[in-house]
Amino acid sequence: MADYGRDLRMVTLDAKRLRALAHPLRVRLLGALRLDGPATATALGKRFGENSANTSWHLRQLAEAGLVAEDTQRGNRRERWWTAAQDRTEFDPGELSEDPELTGSLASYLHAINAVHHDQAGTYLATMQDWPKEWRGAAELSDYRLSLSARELSELNRRIQAVVEEYWREPEPGDVEVITHWHAVPLRRQERDADVTDVI
């Protein structure tokens, strides 16, 4: 759960942090701790269908990279609680992809993020009728095709992020937590067969 009462903690992915996140379960563990707050390895294991020993091992890998930390305000010797060490992650995929040793880690991380986004949208669609009409009307699943330069796409992304940041505030009565996804990727069009002609 985001703490709106203070500045959001941000980390930039470097090679070590990227390698730590290059596993789908670790991406989900970090996301759960950021979204829902501190938890034990046992509780997280039950949530994701993993045994607590495996979940605990992955949490320790995230801790070594500084992405999660032990929550010393909770638990005891037998029950170890974990918390996210940051609220937001930023990274430059263009820069990280320049290192051939990180190609696999970057691909794994981005695929895991994409899977989480897919699951979040799917969960909403599966429960859409449970939401009041005003919320069903407010939700959005759209795509837009634009012709842009790389510079223009970077600017578009920056401006959308700035708009999203304008809406960070303390929760108010009637609010629900909303997740936003923004994907902006180059589109590789299918090559037409040489013998196919347009029909007007």
Side-chain angles (χ1 to χ4, degrees):
M1 61 186 72
D3 183 351
Y4 295 93
R6 60 172 169 72
D7 290 334
L8 293 176
R9 300 166 297 174
M10 170 105 66
V11 298
T12 300
L13 286 189
D14 55 15
K16 181 178 181 180
R17 289 174 176 148
L18 178 61
R19 288 187 179 103
L21 282 172
H23 190 287
L25 179 58
R26 292 182 201 163
V27 169
R28 291 183 181 276
L29 292 172
L30 179 58
L33 292 173
R34 283 171 47 173
L35 201 61
D36 301 321
T40 64
T42 301
L44 290 167
K46 287 179 181 176
R47 176 172 175 172
F48 296 114
E50 300 284 339
N51 65 58
S52 59
N54 187 45
T55 304
S56 182
W57 185 82
H58 284 292
L59 286 164
R60 288 195 303 274
Q61 303 309 303
L62 290 169
E64 285 183 19
L67 295 166
V68 304
E70 189 172 354
D71 186 346
T72 56
Q73 304 299 314
R74 292 179 163 86
N76 50 47
R77 288 185 180 180
R78 297 184 51 164
E79 189 176 55
R80 193 175 188 185
W81 283 71
W82 296 92
T83 186
Q86 92 291 345
D87 304 299
R88 292 179 60 194
T89 304
E90 68 174 9
F91 68 105
D92 183 344
E95 187 70 28
L96 291 172
S97 64
E98 288 295 301
D99 185 344
E101 293 185 6
L102 294 178
T103 301
S105 296
L106 181 60
S108 295
Y109 173 65
L110 293 175
H111 279 286
I113 292 294
N114 188 56
V116 169
H117 291 179
H118 179 270
D119 289 350
Q120 289 169 338
T123 298
Y124 166 71
L125 294 175
T127 60
M128 187 171 66
Q129 290 307 118
D130 298 338
W131 288 94
K133 179 181 178 181
E134 64 180 318
W135 283 103
R136 294 196 306 269
E140 180 81 11
L141 283 175
S142 296
D143 61 271
Y144 304 92
R145 190 168 64 189
L146 306 170
S147 294
L148 302 173
S149 67
R151 182 190 58 76
E152 288 173 322
L153 181 54
S154 294
E155 174 66 9
L156 176 62
N157 288 329
R158 187 196 65 72
R159 291 175 67 181
I160 287 174
Q161 182 177 345
V163 170
V164 170
E165 288 175 355
E166 289 177 15
Y167 284 84
W168 276 331
R169 59 167 171 72
E170 293 279 351
E172 297 176 357
D175 283 353
V176 300
E177 202 158 33
V178 172
I179 190 78
T180 63
H181 300 153
W182 170 248
H183 300 173
V185 296
L187 179 64
R188 185 178 300 280
R189 300 185 68 169
Q190 297 296 320
E191 295 293 332
R192 297 186 186 193
D193 293 334
D195 59 349
V196 174
T197 58
D198 287 337
V199 176
I200 297 176

